[in-house]
Amino acid sequence: MDKTLSLRTNQQILGLFSKIQEYQPSINRIESFQKAVDIALGEKVDWAKHSKTAIRYLVNDTSAAEFIQLRVDQHKWEKIVDQVEESFAPRLSRTTIPYVVKLVLLNYVKYLEAMTPAAAVEADAVQKEATMDLSDMAKVLFQMMLTDKDCRELKQIREILADWREKSNEASV
């Protein structure tokens, strides 16, 4: 069952989302947060150490959303909150949503920084492949063609299509 987290954003949270976007530009905030939660549950995280890390990624955008909502699996979220509370026990009796979100995002940024750039892009592609069906792909492709026909991504798609056409022509000969 999904849980919706509503929180007031701050420079740190927006900065962390912005940094994640640099590594994985094709996924949105909800997808990146869900991925961050999965990564946090898949490894042993030292939340206390992360809490002491200075966040260098700040966003001073006054037009940014003041409040955001994130969807996450309720069971996974509860596990992470329990882990964070255990890391700080007995000094911390309860945690706030923005604090836990910040820690989860910081852990994910550190995970992405540790990956090679190629691996981060590949992980992004695998995530998108799993969540986008053919009709969605067609919609996005047409939207790209109509809004920015000279974008870098569309040029890459053209190259892929040309290569595919060349290979299929060779196979039919």
Side-chain angles (χ1 to χ4, degrees):
M1 184 165 116
D2 281 349
K3 177 178 181 68
T4 301
L5 306 175
S6 297
L7 63 140
R8 179 183 291 260
T9 59
N10 59 40
Q11 291 178 338
Q12 294 177 339
I13 290 173
L14 292 175
L16 290 165
F17 274 120
S18 178
K19 189 65 178 175
I20 291 168
Q21 201 70 32
E22 289 176 21
Y23 286 100
Q24 297 181 315
S26 65
I27 63 175
N28 63 35
R29 284 183 185 158
I30 292 173
E31 292 170 331
S32 62
F33 186 69
Q34 289 172 346
K35 184 73 172 164
V37 167
D38 290 340
I39 295 299
L41 289 174
E43 58 186 35
K44 179 69 176 150
V45 180
D46 186 353
W47 298 111
K49 181 180 175 185
H50 282 326
S51 72
K52 296 174 186 163
T53 303
I55 298 178
R56 306 178 307 269
Y57 324 107
L58 301 178
V59 172
N60 292 320
D61 185 4
T62 57
S63 66
E66 190 172 331
F67 288 92
I68 60 172
Q69 291 186 330
L70 301 169
R71 272 192 320 272
V72 65
D73 180 270
Q74 184 169 355
H75 181 68
K76 291 178 180 180
W77 176 251
E78 289 169 355
K79 276 185 173 180
I80 288 193
V81 169
D82 289 345
Q83 287 178 7
V84 170
E85 288 176 349
E86 283 177 22
S87 292
F88 293 101
R91 296 172 290 159
L92 184 68
S93 60
R94 74 175 188 90
T95 56
T96 62
I97 291 172
Y99 185 68
V100 177
V101 167
K102 182 179 79 170
L103 289 176
V104 169
L105 293 174
L106 181 60
N107 181 63
Y108 190 49
V109 167
K110 291 189 174 294
Y111 169 83
L112 291 172
E113 286 175 342
M115 294 176 68
T116 63
V121 169
E122 183 179 325
D124 182 36
V126 168
Q127 172 73 16
K128 277 317 232 184
E129 183 180 314
T131 60
M132 188 177 285
D133 62 13
L134 289 176
S135 64
D136 288 338
M137 288 173 54
K139 289 175 190 174
V140 172
L141 182 60
F142 284 119
Q143 183 180 11
M144 289 171 62
M145 290 187 305
L146 293 173
T147 58
D148 189 6
K149 65 181 179 182
D150 296 323
C151 70
R152 176 181 52 86
E153 292 85 0
L154 203 50
K155 289 177 183 176
Q156 291 173 335
I157 292 170
R158 282 187 195 115
E159 290 174 13
I160 292 168
L161 292 173
D163 290 345
W164 181 85
R165 182 187 295 162
E166 186 177 305
K167 287 179 185 176
S168 67
N169 286 342
E170 288 174 3
S172 64
V173 173

